[in-house]
Amino acid sequence: MSDTFTTRVLHIATGRSETVTDLTADCEEFLREAAAGRDGLLNVFVPHATAGIAVLETGAGSDDDLLAALRTLLPADDRWQHRHGSPGHGRDHVLPALVPPHATLPVIEGRLELGTWQSVCLVDTNQDNPRRQVRLSFLA
């Protein structure tokens, strides 16, 4: 099975503010080695209870719009029953229900098959955890 399944863990510093981090270049670099021109699937997974993976446009304001929408849907206030950490931290634990902790994407001839403006992004609203891991797995 080792020649049909390959995995790598990225270590991402997200800092102490809400962020959308573009992982597309990391995914493409991984696929150059792991896929080696083959077709398959790339699974991107963040093993954290307070972060998610999104496929969206970046650089034109959509990443900021996503964070603004999440602030509206999940305000950082005292309404949350989950209350440890920073004020409003309970909302961070609801985030993966809206922005799932994974995405599975097609790989064609070793290349990530994304639309023209699509990027693979880590979405992190948790100000208490500035370090994240993201697991990339290629299945041929």
Side-chain angles (χ1 to χ4, degrees):
M1 181 175 228
S2 64
D3 57 332
T4 60
F5 182 80
T6 306
T7 190
R8 174 182 297 163
V9 175
L10 304 175
H11 299 275
I12 308 293
T14 56
R16 298 241 177 238
S17 62
E18 299 173 337
T19 61
V20 174
T21 304
D22 190 338
L23 303 174
T24 309
D26 295 300
C27 293
E28 290 170 343
E29 178 185 331
F30 169 68
L31 288 171
R32 276 192 290 279
E33 298 170 24
R38 296 176 292 171
D39 293 353
L41 296 172
L42 173 68
N43 183 263
V44 184
F45 176 70
V46 57
H48 298 281
T50 58
I53 300 295
V55 177
L56 75 153
E57 179 180 6
T58 60
S62 297
D63 38 354
D64 291 330
D65 290 342
L66 173 60
L67 292 175
L70 290 171
R71 279 186 220 109
T72 299
L73 292 170
L74 304 171
D77 58 23
D78 64 356
R79 73 183 68 201
W80 309 102
Q81 292 186 34
H82 186 108
R83 293 185 184 261
H84 74 83
S86 297
H89 173 66
R91 70 158 184 157
D92 300 325
H93 288 273
V94 177
L95 174 74
L98 300 175
V99 181
H102 59 87
T104 301
L105 305 163
V107 176
I108 307 298
E109 296 180 354
R111 298 187 53 131
L112 192 55
E113 187 74 8
L114 292 173
T116 302
W117 304 111
Q118 290 180 317
S119 296
V120 181
C121 299
L122 169 66
V123 180
D124 187 0
T125 60
N126 183 355
Q127 300 174 21
D128 296 335
N129 188 353
R131 300 188 194 289
R132 298 298 186 162
Q133 292 181 4
V134 177
R135 178 172 297 278
L136 305 178
S137 300
F138 174 71
L139 178 63

